[in-house]
Amino acid sequence: SGLLADLPTSDEAPTSAAVLAPIAHREAKPTLHGQLVNWRAVRARQLRQLPKVVCSDRELTEIEQTQPDTVEALAEIIGSLTAKQLASEILPIVASFKNSLSGTK
């Protein structure tokens, strides 16, 4: 059939190492952005909201770039009311990431 003609042959198929390499790389060193996205997904499920309602992509990127360590610094990104509500969840993620970079816990 014409559909099967486009499938790679065993000689052309990627090796399992080539397929798994991006996954292994991702698991080896989680990024702050990745951790924040994971947190947002969990929080959104808890609230039964869309992830972008919890925290926008722009806000996550700004948190990643500025790495706030106080409620006030976080409030400059997400607003004071939201910062008061979410700081106890976001700030430890940022702090843990910073500590992992410096080798401390």
Side-chain angles (χ1 to χ4, degrees), residues 6-22:
D6 293 335
L7 292 176
T9 64
S10 61
D11 293 338
E12 299 170 336
T15 64
S16 61
V19 172
L20 295 176

Side-chain angles (χ1 to χ4, degrees), residues 14-29:
T15 64
S16 61
V19 172
L20 295 176
I23 295 169
H25 177 72
R26 217 176 29 235
E27 291 173 358
K29 199 174 205 180

Side-chain angles (χ1 to χ4, degrees), residues 1-102:
S1 118
L3 294 174
L4 296 177
D6 293 335
L7 292 176
T9 64
S10 61
D11 293 338
E12 299 170 336
T15 64
S16 61
V19 172
L20 295 176
I23 295 169
H25 177 72
R26 217 176 29 235
E27 291 173 358
K29 199 174 205 180
T31 64
L32 177 55
H33 188 78
Q35 292 177 38
L36 291 168
V37 168
N38 288 338
W39 162 79
R40 179 179 71 175
V42 170
R43 189 71 161 115
R45 276 193 299 271
Q46 291 170 341
L47 297 173
R48 298 174 191 225
Q49 295 285 336
L50 294 172
K52 290 181 182 181
V53 173
V54 174
C55 203
S56 73
D57 290 339
R58 181 197 62 77
E59 290 168 333
L60 289 186
T61 298
E62 194 167 341
I63 291 168
E64 176 187 23
Q65 291 172 348
T66 62
Q67 298 182 9
D69 55 5
T70 65
V71 175
E72 293 78 18
L74 183 60
E76 291 179 21
I77 301 167
I78 62 175
S80 70
L81 181 60
T82 305
K84 288 175 185 174
Q85 294 171 340
L86 300 178
S88 65
E89 299 173 39
I90 295 173
L91 295 180
I93 294 169
V94 173
S96 176
F97 180 77
K98 284 181 177 180
N99 289 340
S100 73
L101 294 179
S102 66

